Amino acid sequence: MSDFKVFEYMEKHKYEQVVYFYDRTTGLKGITVIHNTTLGPALGGTRIWNYESEDAAVMDCLRLARGMTYKAAAAGLNLGGGKTVLIGDATKVKSEAYFRALGRYVQALNGRYITAEDVNTSTKDMSYVHMETDHVVGLEGKSGNPSPVTALGALYGIKASLKYRFGNEDISKYTFAVQGAGQTGYYLINHLVELGAKKVYFSEINPKYIERMKNEHPEVEFVNPDQIYSMDVDVFSPCALGGVLNNQTIPQIKAKIIAGTANNVLLDEDIHGPMIKDRGILYAPDFVINAGGLINVYVELMNWPQEKALADVKLIYDRLLEIFEISKEQDIHTQLAAKVFAKNRIETIKNLHDNYIPKR
């Protein structure tokens, strides 16, 4: 029997809903978590992962959904936070029926939750989901793949971090180590090369992506994944999966700035946020710097032109500078400062809704 108590965790972190679902026709097994809908419907992608246990799946979904609440709030969007995880091997479970079954479960939530692509899912997969529900974004022919916009937002965040730490945001003056070159990391490296970065190193575990980078940018140097943390660079950019900043990796980091696109990169933010701060490293909070993709799909949801998304992504620069100042003034680590920033907005809008007649 598991010792993990879902309801205790929900109470502690103020979750609204955890939904388990199973489709006997396709074998679809999944969990949807809705963390907070104060600002609007919960939005978060659907990922497929072969989790080692059901507890691991629900914990991942819980953490990701809460992160989406903070991401949306900090980005100034009228959205809450949610997430879906599907348990299985992505190379074996995918089919039209599988994703249409997911669409039926999303539809059953009646608009409280909106899904999109995530790890091991694609815009094509979401088109099948869309056959059963309108509560899906990031579709082909609309906002599409969020990775390029996420990477663009990260670039603005890196520039803000360079400005705050060194007083100069000129990419050509600095060196970078990028962890992951599959999606967002690939597009981020393209930006860094285009802007004349002094030197870029990258790590990647997929041979296809390693070969692509070597072919397109031979000047970008590959390093083994276990060496990427200790590279003597100005900026370390984690652009792969979460939990990579921990007791083992943080002491290896020589970079003065950590700024990338990955979600939940702090294994334990209460421990590793202060650890990074104590080492004098400026950390750009993940859910702030990587909000470009979410901003992009929100613009799609609102039927606004793509130019609106690109303009709003630029605001990540100013938002991070404000969060860095909160961190300095309150003497707290930047991840906590970002939560203060996000929670202030949620609380302000909640109070506004409590005090005034709602819009019809």
Side-chain angles (χ1 to χ4, degrees):
M1 294 291 290
S2 168
D3 292 329
F4 180 57
K5 296 178 174 60
V6 176
F7 284 112
E8 286 186 11
Y9 193 89
M10 289 177 70
E11 182 179 8
K12 178 181 178 182
H13 296 290
K14 301 179 180 178
Y15 287 84
E16 294 181 10
Q17 195 169 5
V18 176
V19 180
Y20 291 77
F21 52 90
Y22 169 71
D23 178 67
R24 63 184 180 183
T25 301
T26 63
L28 175 78
K29 294 186 292 185
I31 302 159
T32 294
V33 172
I34 296 174
H35 176 243
N36 186 294
T37 56
T38 299
L39 298 177
L43 192 151
T46 293
R47 66 174 50 186
I48 302 174
W49 198 257
N50 212 5
Y51 292 95
E52 61 184 23
S53 67
E54 291 178 12
D55 279 356
V58 71
M59 177 55 75
D60 194 33
C61 200
L62 286 162
R63 291 185 65 203
L64 290 164
R66 185 155 50 107
M68 290 301 295
T69 293
Y70 297 136
K71 183 183 292 191
L77 308 179
N78 293 320
L79 292 171
K83 206 75 178 183
T84 294
V85 299
L86 305 179
I87 302 171
D89 183 342
T91 64
K92 298 177 181 178
V93 300
K94 286 188 176 190
S95 69
E96 175 186 346
Y98 181 86
F99 286 106
R100 291 185 70 164
L102 171 63
R104 300 285 285 180
Y105 288 110
V106 171
Q107 180 65 19
L109 292 168
N110 200 32
R112 281 175 48 76
Y113 168 68
I114 302 165
T115 196
E117 68 167 290
D118 200 89
V119 175
N120 287 328
T121 61
S122 67
T123 54
K124 179 183 177 182
D125 300 329
M126 291 304 109
S127 70
Y128 293 135
V129 175
H130 189 220
M131 291 178 181
E132 302 294 337
T133 183
D134 289 331
H135 305 304
V136 55
V137 290
L139 299 169
E140 291 178 326
K142 294 190 176 181
S143 63
N145 182 1
S147 296
V149 187
T150 301
L152 180 61
L155 178 67
Y156 290 125
I158 288 171
K159 287 184 174 183
S161 302
L162 291 169
K163 180 70 173 178
Y164 192 84
R165 185 68 174 80
F166 299 119
N168 189 313
E169 64 184 66
D170 183 353
I171 295 294
S172 68
K173 296 181 180 296
Y174 304 104
T175 54
F176 301 84
V178 180
Q179 182 185 47
Q183 286 292 328
T184 56
Y186 167 75
Y187 293 106
L188 178 59
I189 290 171
N190 286 347
H191 287 304
L192 296 175
V193 171
E194 183 180 345
L195 293 172
K198 186 183 294 185
K199 182 66 179 180
V200 180
Y201 302 91
F202 82 102
S203 67
E204 174 57 56
I205 60 173
N206 188 320
K208 178 177 71 174
Y209 296 142
I210 295 171
E211 191 65 23
R212 177 177 65 177
M213 187 58 62
K214 288 182 176 180
N215 289 336
E216 294 185 13
H217 297 299
E219 71 276 25
V220 176
E221 186 174 335
F222 172 77
V223 298
N224 291 325
D226 59 353
Q227 295 177 307
I228 197 70
Y229 304 102
S230 60
M231 299 304 297
D232 189 7
V233 294
D234 299 302
V235 181
F236 170 55
S237 294
C239 298
L241 291 175
V244 298
L245 298 178
N246 51 53
N247 290 340
Q248 287 70 46
T249 60
I250 292 172
Q252 300 179 48
I253 294 174
K254 296 183 174 69
K256 295 300 183 184
I257 293 170
I258 300 174
T261 61
N263 287 307
N264 297 324
V265 286
L266 299 174
L267 183 61
D268 185 326
E269 60 187 40
D270 294 330
I271 296 173
H272 302 120
M275 184 184 293
I276 289 170
K277 178 178 181 292
D278 291 344
R279 294 197 67 229
I281 301 170
L282 180 65
Y283 172 66
D286 51 5
F287 64 84
V288 179
I289 192 172
N290 68 14
L294 179 60
I295 293 169
N296 193 48
V297 296
Y298 182 68
V299 166
E300 175 190 334
L301 190 66
M302 301 302 291
N303 291 313
W304 292 335
Q306 180 68 10
E307 292 75 17
K308 170 69 172 170
L310 299 179
D312 286 355
V313 163
K314 289 183 180 180
L315 299 178
I316 290 173
Y317 182 101
D318 294 327
R319 205 166 283 132
L320 275 174
L321 291 179
E322 186 173 346
I323 288 166
F324 293 152
E325 283 300 319
I326 292 173
S327 171
K328 180 180 178 180
E329 291 168 5
Q330 299 189 19
D331 193 25
I332 55 178
H333 62 89
T334 55
Q335 184 81 352
L336 182 55
K339 286 191 170 183
V340 169
F341 181 87
K343 288 178 179 178
N344 283 345
R345 180 167 182 261
I346 294 171
E347 191 63 25
T348 298
I349 301 304
K350 179 179 181 297
N351 291 339
L352 178 71
H353 288 170
D354 288 344
N355 292 332
Y356 296 93
I357 298 171
K359 177 184 177 182
R360 296 296 182 187

